[in-house]
Amino acid sequence: MAKQKKIPMRMCLGCQEMKPKKELIRVVRTPEGEVLIDKTGKKAGRGAYICPSLSCFEKAKKGKKFEKALNHPVSPEIIEKLQQELTESEQS
Ligand SMILES: [Zn+2]
């Protein structure tokens, strides 16, 4: 195998930059209509990605980017949970 594996890239909802999927946090809308933070990156459903950064999160939140990307309303609880996880990952 001479060919190198391509790194999957995704766009952050906040800064709109393309980044390696692994560096981003995945938010998924499941076929059941739930919106979850997908830590494994393997859940079925429509996914959206964001940098583990509060500034990107704020931008995405302000622009209702999660709703648009997932084509589904995102409850304030989910937003809060996401924000919490981001804060934790920024601190570590
Ligand atoms: Zn970003």
Side-chain angles (χ1 to χ4, degrees):
M1 282 268 283
K3 256 190 181 174
Q4 237 188 332
K5 246 193 181 176
K6 262 196 197 162
I7 300 170
M9 303 287 278
R10 293 291 183 274
M11 195 180 73
C12 165
L13 290 180
C15 59
Q16 317 265 292
E17 274 177 45
M18 297 296 291
K19 304 219 171 173
K21 204 173 148 184
K22 275 187 186 165
E23 290 177 18
L24 301 169
I25 291 174
R26 184 171 190 248
V27 181
V28 68
R29 174 175 63 112
T30 68
E32 291 78 39
E34 273 183 297
V35 178
L36 305 166
I37 295 158
D38 178 18
K39 282 189 173 161
T40 64
K42 284 176 182 157
K43 279 197 165 61
R46 185 172 177 144
Y49 294 82
I50 187 158
C51 301
S53 134
L54 271 180
S55 62
C56 286
F57 182 81
E58 287 295 334
K59 275 185 214 163
K61 189 167 100 175
K62 261 191 189 166
K64 301 236 176 246
K65 296 281 174 62
F66 292 112
E67 282 89 340
K68 281 176 198 163
L70 299 169
N71 195 20
H72 191 79
V74 180
S75 71
E77 288 81 27
I78 297 291
I79 297 281
E80 203 172 298
K81 209 172 144 196
L82 255 180
Q83 193 158 358
Q84 246 175 33
E85 299 216 358
L86 283 173
T87 311
E88 280 163 21
S89 57
E90 272 207 334
Q91 280 162 353
S92 60

